[in-house]
């Protein structure tokens, strides 16, 4: 099986209902077997190009096409099976309930004879290093495993062109390497052409031959061998939001801590066990336990560790959204301000000025039809008058550069804008403690820098920040302390439980002793 | 163990093609719906009880899975006894409530019927993997692949509803609109959550559809099936057994003189 050739001449696409074309004036020639990294700022049409190459962009009803885009000299929609696409979200790519069946799904659609399907499935699973029984339930896979499963499903189709649309954006660092290496092994074996979109250049830099930079204004900004493009365009790309290792975003200024006012204890956890109550059960299943932690005003604490160790559950518990599964969680008077010491017993409205939570998936917390309406929800729940509401909302719109989107529907925003909006909705009620779950997922370097700068300002103003994150740059830019959750030895009776290790004093020691 | 990948213990019935099981369940249900009398239901139930030995469910699994019908049947019996159509000798009478020989017989017929239709249906489904059922529907019954696989993939998303619902509820609490407002507020929040879940599911569904399309789903080429769904002699035999149960139940009722054709 040889690699596919990709050619474009004057190609463009405008989604139905949009005034501006997503891609325009694109000329390309990608040789069989080439490995290409496609870069470009948000909104440059990278995903549109990938969808078009995979033949899933739709027809005349879905948008207007100009020019010509060909895979092996044929229209992509006519060469299904020649092209395989892996998308960003691990959850929405699993089709069937069992691992083997899911990998076989693509082969079946291509009418591969039954006798040939199962050897292909075995080969593809071996290529991606997913050593599981064919009957293993897909619902029991981790994010990294799901992405490798999606890749195996694509590889089993034996495509000549493999397309990866930010395949590692939602994975922890180990998962990123797992998936990347699986991709390399398999394209090396098959000789397939590879096109990857990824914000984080460092992951792919060493393994691709060529970089193509799309221009948001149309056409191509730069195209050539990896090193040449990075040295010629690196700075410009970095300024446009692409993560270039040589040009990292500047870390924000933090006011010297000794000048800062005395830190107050806000929340204190001792022997805290966290867990969720499964559907139709009474008792919580503990996912992480025996955690000791103190959160103080003006300090940032990072919670790190592999997927599945209970980081998000811990964040939701500290945020007063889940009841602790054991141990003690006590809100100090400085935070409780007249309420009881157990945050999960507070009323929903009482949380607003005390603890703000930014969820991993911003879409989960959107409630209104416009950005402006979204920002007004918190202040209105607090009982602020119309004028005060407008004032707060306008200030936030301005501060987070969302002014021009005030009347847009939150669901139509880009990934970076959604993230900024979800942070802004929380800031609208000025909580003393901010809990963020993976705040920098999928952010380009520019929106990353903005978010980090904003959080630094809040920290200097005395807000406490707790962030669950995989992002080492984020940790080193902001965190004063780090709690690392490690899988394995949990408290008695919970074999899968994780425990935490508190590494003291990234900048300064906080509260409790390490475990 | 989940909705889509139930743990099914190997058993004679688990090995039967799901389409055959579906046919049996339908045959018995249809036969029992034709009449409301206690003899046909009791005979069917007795014959089914014999077959249960081969279903491979543990006693605990059996009672747990069939609990809904064991709860529903007595309630139906009770309400029919008290409020059902009266005929024959009056056994008890107090205001609205009157218990007659006729209403007791009717109640018995209905209670047995719920068990005789419900138990085989539940047991047959409990020994069936949804993916295998999909294979059977598409390959044996030749239902359109698009419909069958769409349903299977959609069913998988249902498992995620519970997590999504939970996240949405927590997010609302974090946004300050998670409680208060009494019963009306509760109702409004429930409606809001349900709508948000709908929006989320539609978005998830459309992403899944793209992923399926990217893997060649929905093209005009007739697809192959990795898992062969065989409908063999044993499966035909199972359908015959189902037909025999249905026929025996009807015959017994007719002979006993209790057969009462509902459409007559």
């Amino acid at each position: 099986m040889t690699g596919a050739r990709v050619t474009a001449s004057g190609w463009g696409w405008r989604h139905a209902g949009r005034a501006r074309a997503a891609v325009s004036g694109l000329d390309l020639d990608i040789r069989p077997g080439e490995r290409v990294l496609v870069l470009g700022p948000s909104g440059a049409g990278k995903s549109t190009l990938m969808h078009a190459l995979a033949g899933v962009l739709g027809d005349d009803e879905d948008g207007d096409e100009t020019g010509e885009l060909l895979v092996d000299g044929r229209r992509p929609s006519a060469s299904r099976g020649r092209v395989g696409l892996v998308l960003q979200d691990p959850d929405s790519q699993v089709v069937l309930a069992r691992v083997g069946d899911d990998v076989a799904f693509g082969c079946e659609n291509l009418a591969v004879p039954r006798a040939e399907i199962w050897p292909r499935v075995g080969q593809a699973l071996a290529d991606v290093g997913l050593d599981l029984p064919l009957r293993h339930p897909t619902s029991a896979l981790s994010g990294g495993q799901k992405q490798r499963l999606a890749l195996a499903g694509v590889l089993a189709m034996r495509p000549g062109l493999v397309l990866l649309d930010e395949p590692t954006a939602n994975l922890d660092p180990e998962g990123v390497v797992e998936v990347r290496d699986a991709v390399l092994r398999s394209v090396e074996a098959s000789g397939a052409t590879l096109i990857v979109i990824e914000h984080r250049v460092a992951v792919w830099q060493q393994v691709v031959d060529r970089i193509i930079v799309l221009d948001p204004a149309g056409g191509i900004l730069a195209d050539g061998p990896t090193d040449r493009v990075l040295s010629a365009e690196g700075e410009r790309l970095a300024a446009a939001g692409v993560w270039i290792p040589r040009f990292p975003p500047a870390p924000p200024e933090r006011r010297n801590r000794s000048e800062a006012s005395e830190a107050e204890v806000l929340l204190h956890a001792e022997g805290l066990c966290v867990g969720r109550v499964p559907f139709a059960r009474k008792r919580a299943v503990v996912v992480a336990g025996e955690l000791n932690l103190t959160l103080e005003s003006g300090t940032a604490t990072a919670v790190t560790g592999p997927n599945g160790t209970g980081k998000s559950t811990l964040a939701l518990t500290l945020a007063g959204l889940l009841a602790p599964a054991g141990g003690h969680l006590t809100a100090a008077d400085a935070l409780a301000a007249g309420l009881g010491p157990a945050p999960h017993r507070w009323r929903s409205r009482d949380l607003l000025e005390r603890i703000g939570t930014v969820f991993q998936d911003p879409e989960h917390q959107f409630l209104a039809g416009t950005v402006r309406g979204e920002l007004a929800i918190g202040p209105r729940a607090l009982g602020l008058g119309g004028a005060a509401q407008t004032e707060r909302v306008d200030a936030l719109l301005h501060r987070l550069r969302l002014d021009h989107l005030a009347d847009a529907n939150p669901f139509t925003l880009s990934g970076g804008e959604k993230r900024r909006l979800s942070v802004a909705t929380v800031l609208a009620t000025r909580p003393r403690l901010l809990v963020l779950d993976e705040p920098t997922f999928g952010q380009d370097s520019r929106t990353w820098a903005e978010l980090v700068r904003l959080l630094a300002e809040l920290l200097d103003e005395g807000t406490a920040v707790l962030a669950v994150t995989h992002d080492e740059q984020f940790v080193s830019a902001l965190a004063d302390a780090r709690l690392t959750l490690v899988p394995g030895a949990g408290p008695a009776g919970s074999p899968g439980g994780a425990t935490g290790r508190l590494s003291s004093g990234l900048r300064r020691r906080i509260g409790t002793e390490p475990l | 163990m989940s909705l889509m990948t139930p743990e099914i213990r190997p058993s004679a019935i688990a090995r039967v093609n799901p389409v055959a099981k579906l046919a049996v369940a339908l045959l018995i249900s249809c036969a029992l719906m034709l009449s409301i009398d206690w003899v046909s239901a009791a005979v069917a139930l007795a014959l089914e009880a014999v077959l249960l030995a081969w279903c491979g469910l543990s006693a605990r699994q059996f009672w747990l899975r069939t609990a809904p019908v064991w709860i529903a049947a007595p309630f139906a019996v009770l309400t029919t006894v008290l409020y059902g159509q009266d005929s024959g000798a009056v056994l008890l009478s107090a205001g609205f409530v009157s218990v007659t020989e006729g209403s007791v017989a009717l109640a018995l017929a209905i209670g047995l019927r719920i068990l005789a239709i419900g138990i085989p249906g539940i047991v047959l489904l409990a020994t069936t993997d949804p993916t295998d059922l999909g294979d059977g529907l598409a390959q044996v019954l030749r239902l359109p692949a698009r419909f069958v696989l769409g349903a299977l993939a959609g069913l998988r998303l249902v498992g995620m509803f519970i997590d999504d619902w939970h996240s949405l509820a927590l997010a609302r609490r974090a946004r300050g609109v998670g409680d208060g407002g009494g019963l009306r507020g509760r109702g409004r929040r429930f409606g809001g959550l349900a709508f948000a879940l709908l929006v989320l599911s539609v978005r998830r569904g459309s992403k899944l559809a793209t992923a399926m399309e990217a893997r060649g789903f929905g093209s005009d080429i007739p697809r192959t099936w990795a898992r062969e769904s065989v409908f063999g002699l044993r499966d035909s035999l199972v359908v015959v057994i189902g037909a025999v149960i249905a026929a025996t139940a009807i015959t017994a009722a007719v002979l006993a003189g209790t057969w009462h054709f509902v459409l007559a």
Side-chain angles (χ1 to χ4, degrees), chain A residues 182-317:
Chain A
V183 168
L184 285 180
R185 264 200 312 276
S186 45
V187 296
E188 220 149 70
S190 70
T193 311
L194 174 69
I195 304 181
V196 188
I197 299 179
E198 184 67 70
H199 277 304
R200 307 220 166 209
V201 172
V203 178
W204 297 94
Q205 190 178 354
Q206 305 301 328
V207 298
V208 295
D209 315 314
R210 174 174 170 190
I211 291 182
I212 294 173
V213 185
L214 296 186
D215 188 339
I220 285 171
L221 209 61
D223 181 2
T226 312
D227 295 336
R228 211 183 67 208
V229 170
L230 286 183
S231 55
E233 298 291 329
E235 201 165 354
R236 191 143 61 113
L237 284 171
V242 179
W243 288 93
I244 308 287
R246 271 181 46 224
F247 303 97
E253 294 282 322
R254 286 281 300 274
R255 212 183 324 162
N256 195 330
R257 301 213 53 98
S258 56
E259 290 171 18
S261 56
E262 193 60 34
E264 285 177 296
V265 172
L266 297 181
L267 200 59
H268 180 66
E270 209 174 308
L272 178 67
C273 296
V274 299
R276 285 170 186 267
V277 184
F279 183 66
R281 298 273 179 80
K282 280 207 165 132
R283 284 169 55 91
V285 174
V286 173
V287 289
E290 302 298 319
L291 304 165
N292 298 317
L293 182 69
T294 301
L295 301 179
E296 293 177 3
S297 61
T299 59
T301 308
V303 178
T304 60
N307 284 340
T309 45
K311 299 188 299 293
S312 293
T313 313
L314 172 64
L316 294 173
T317 308

Side-chain angles (χ1 to χ4, degrees), chain B residues 5-6 44 52 83 166 233:
Chain B
T5 49
L52 281 180
Y83 307 108
H166 195 63
L233 194 65

Side-chain angles (χ1 to χ4, degrees), chain A residues 74-386:
Chain A
R74 297 199 297 170
R75 289 173 53 81
S77 51
S79 36
R80 287 256 176 94
R82 189 71 179 126
V83 185
L85 169 67
V86 178
L87 298 158
Q88 195 184 102
D89 180 2
D91 278 329
S92 56
Q93 294 184 80
V94 180
V95 180
L96 291 171
R98 295 181 298 221
V99 166
D101 300 346
D102 192 75
V103 177
F105 177 74
C107 298
E108 295 175 317
N109 294 329
L110 298 180
V112 175
R114 182 177 300 140
E116 203 188 313
I117 291 180
W118 292 106
R120 282 196 187 194
V121 169
Q123 179 68 44
L125 284 171
D127 284 347
V128 301
L130 210 52
D131 183 22
L132 293 168
L134 294 178
R135 297 190 64 87
H136 191 80
T138 48
S139 56
L141 301 178
S142 71
Q145 286 177 321
K146 278 183 188 155
Q147 280 305 67
R148 281 188 286 160
L149 179 72
L151 184 63
V154 161
L155 293 177
M157 295 162 68
R158 307 264 160 96
L161 172 60
V162 175
L163 304 171
L164 309 175
D165 189 351
E166 299 199 50
T168 59
N170 288 3
L171 303 182
D172 61 21
E174 290 86 51
V176 169
V177 175
E178 260 175 25
V179 171
R180 184 199 62 188
D181 291 348
V183 168
L184 285 180
R185 264 200 312 276
S186 45
V187 296
E188 220 149 70
S190 70
T193 311
L194 174 69
I195 304 181
V196 188
I197 299 179
E198 184 67 70
H199 277 304
R200 307 220 166 209
V201 172
V203 178
W204 297 94
Q205 190 178 354
Q206 305 301 328
V207 298
V208 295
D209 315 314
R210 174 174 170 190
I211 291 182
I212 294 173
V213 185
L214 296 186
D215 188 339
I220 285 171
L221 209 61
D223 181 2
T226 312
D227 295 336
R228 211 183 67 208
V229 170
L230 286 183
S231 55
E233 298 291 329
E235 201 165 354
R236 191 143 61 113
L237 284 171
V242 179
W243 288 93
I244 308 287
R246 271 181 46 224
F247 303 97
E253 294 282 322
R254 286 281 300 274
R255 212 183 324 162
N256 195 330
R257 301 213 53 98
S258 56
E259 290 171 18
S261 56
E262 193 60 34
E264 285 177 296
V265 172
L266 297 181
L267 200 59
H268 180 66
E270 209 174 308
L272 178 67
C273 296
V274 299
R276 285 170 186 267
V277 184
F279 183 66
R281 298 273 179 80
K282 280 207 165 132
R283 284 169 55 91
V285 174
V286 173
V287 289
E290 302 298 319
L291 304 165
N292 298 317
L293 182 69
T294 301
L295 301 179
E296 293 177 3
S297 61
T299 59
T301 308
V303 178
T304 60
N307 284 340
T309 45
K311 299 188 299 293
S312 293
T313 313
L314 172 64
L316 294 173
T317 308
L318 293 174
L321 301 177
L322 293 177
H328 299 283
L329 177 66
T330 319
D333 292 340
L335 182 65
L339 299 180
H344 74 276
R345 296 197 189 282
W346 297 345
R347 282 181 313 166
S348 172
R349 193 190 331 140
D350 292 328
L351 282 172
L352 287 174
E353 289 185 288
R354 293 174 175 85
I355 308 176
T357 313
V358 179
F359 285 72
Q360 186 167 337
D361 184 350
E363 291 186 2
H364 275 154
Q365 62 191 116
F366 292 156
L367 302 170
T370 65
V371 167
R372 178 178 290 280
E374 201 63 63
L375 290 172
I377 285 176
R380 196 181 322 126
L382 283 181
L384 291 183

